[in-house]
Amino acid sequence: MAVIIDGKAVADRVRSEVAMEVQQLKSRGITPGLAVIIVGDDPASRVYVDNKKKDCARVGIYSEEFALPADTDQEQLIALVTSLNNRSDINGILCQLPLPSHIDENAVISAISPAKDVDAFHPSNVGNIMIGKYSFLPCTPAGVMELIHSAGISVEGKRCVVIGRSNIVGKPMAMLLLHENGTVTICHSRTKDLKEICAEADILIAAVGRLKFVTADMVKPGAVVIDVGINRDENGKLCGDVDFYKVEKVAGYITPVPGGVGPMTRAMLLKNTLTAAKLQNALLME
Ligand code: L34
């Protein structure tokens, strides 16, 4: 049976580290501030945004929500982002994705000041990650790396397979594994022999968005299986991309959903907001 990596416990540890540093900043008169923008009324986004605000309150970060109606036009949204770029009490700006389809997500992301881009989605931050010289890492892949480290697993020389190639998870995930000297393969919907490739992975990261996509026959005995998926099953229960109860019999380590990567995504946002506040107050060298 696999060891279950407890994302809630690791997220708690990260949060308490952030809380301590926030207190130190506050004693110097600096309160880190995060602006969270939500457009429309997607129920999942609402839950995530509410939790992010609660997390901020718990660690002493100031947060301000901007809830805009679904018919907000792109210019209005970009005008809001610009006004937040210019506010000195706001160190981080997060625009919850997905945005309504009439808005060009890339245009909005590019409008965020790279120094306040706590998601690390801005092309300039993405480029910095590519060359290995960065201040922020995208929250989900950074959270996955923390989970891997927390279990005492080394990536060096390992065969890593990432299923999914999104800009927010798959691509940066592959890059972070590469930075730690993993041998990385990215699989996607056009990949041939997907099962065989996955079955060779020492570290398998599932970021597909499909219920029970990773089955036990795709997992090498003893492998580390990280489940980034968030889906609902036929009973409305939250499930990942991994067929958990079968895969945990084969894997060496596995992350649950809920309680795995999700809490880490939120914890890394707090860490990035703290970093942004430090950088903007010249308390940290880049
Ligand atoms: N801009 N948009 C932006 N940044 C992000 O980093 C995100 N993401 C993804 C969606 N859009 C975004 C998130 O925050 C996904 N995501 C996210 C955040 C938190 C959780 C899951 C996904 C989470 O807390 N998951 C809990 C269960 C929560 C529930 O009950 O629904 C878990 O234990 O997995």
Side-chain angles (χ1 to χ4, degrees):
M1 287 293 268
V3 171
I4 295 173
I5 304 178
D6 183 349
K8 275 193 177 159
V10 182
D12 274 340
R13 200 244 302 138
V14 172
R15 259 196 304 273
S16 53
E17 288 165 8
V18 170
M20 256 171 45
E21 285 206 56
V22 168
Q23 286 321 313
Q24 287 168 7
L25 281 189
K26 283 188 169 172
S27 68
R28 305 170 69 158
I30 299 159
T31 299
L34 175 69
V36 184
I37 305 171
I38 175 169
V39 184
D41 39 32
D42 178 67
S45 293
R46 179 33 72 198
V47 172
Y48 302 150
V49 164
D50 285 346
N51 284 332
K52 288 175 183 185
K53 288 191 303 180
K54 275 188 218 149
D55 291 339
C56 284
R58 278 169 72 182
V59 301
I61 292 176
Y62 169 73
S63 74
E64 198 168 316
E65 177 183 300
F66 297 85
L68 305 179
D71 63 358
T72 299
D73 65 42
Q74 189 169 311
E75 288 67 34
Q76 288 171 306
L77 180 53
I78 289 179
L80 170 63
V81 168
T82 306
S83 72
L84 295 168
N85 285 339
N86 293 325
R87 268 179 62 179
S88 59
D89 60 332
I90 294 295
N91 305 110
I93 303 170
L94 175 137
C95 182
Q96 189 71 19
L97 302 179
L99 290 170
S101 57
H102 66 279
I103 297 176
D104 176 1
E105 286 183 352
N106 287 328
V108 176
I109 289 167
S110 296
I112 298 174
S113 158
K116 296 191 177 184
D117 172 36
V118 286
D119 270 321
F121 293 165
H122 189 286
S124 132
N125 286 325
V126 174
N128 285 334
I129 291 163
M130 190 75 125
I131 62 174
K133 196 170 171 289
Y134 47 78
S135 315
F136 306 118
L137 289 174
C139 301
T140 300
V144 169
M145 295 312 291
E146 281 284 332
L147 287 175
I148 291 174
H149 297 152
S150 77
I153 296 155
S154 160
V155 174
E156 177 137 346
K158 301 272 167 65
R159 279 183 184 264
C160 306
V161 173
V162 179
I163 322 173
R165 54 173 156 180
S166 70
N167 288 333
I168 70 173
V169 183
K171 285 188 215 170
M173 189 70 249
M175 200 53 56
L176 301 194
L177 292 163
L178 179 62
H179 287 163
E180 294 195 10
N181 302 315
T183 302
V184 186
T185 303
I186 304 177
C187 295
H188 46 78
S189 54
R190 311 288 166 84
T191 296
K192 291 192 179 123
D193 305 320
L194 177 85
K195 274 183 195 277
E196 289 74 11
I197 295 169
C198 291
E200 289 192 352
D202 301 307
I203 299 176
L204 180 63
I205 316 269
V208 199
R210 278 168 61 185
L211 198 70
K212 296 191 181 173
F213 185 85
V214 174
T215 48
D217 57 331
M218 293 164 74
V219 174
K220 178 168 154 177
V224 179
V225 180
I226 308 283
D227 193 347
V228 183
I230 323 169
N231 314 292
R232 301 238 168 223
D233 72 4
E234 56 284 2
N235 304 315
K237 190 171 155 278
L238 210 61
C239 298
D241 291 342
V242 175
D243 188 357
F244 184 88
Y245 294 105
K246 296 210 172 104
V247 170
E248 77 168 332
K249 297 195 169 80
V250 184
Y253 294 86
I254 191 166
T255 64
V257 177
V261 174
M264 289 305 296
T265 296
R266 284 161 39 197
M268 299 320 278
L269 171 67
L270 302 173
K271 201 167 171 174
N272 283 347
T273 304
L274 171 69
T275 302
K278 287 201 248 176
L279 285 171
Q280 285 158 46
N281 289 283
L283 296 174
L284 205 67
M285 300 303 288
E286 289 203 52

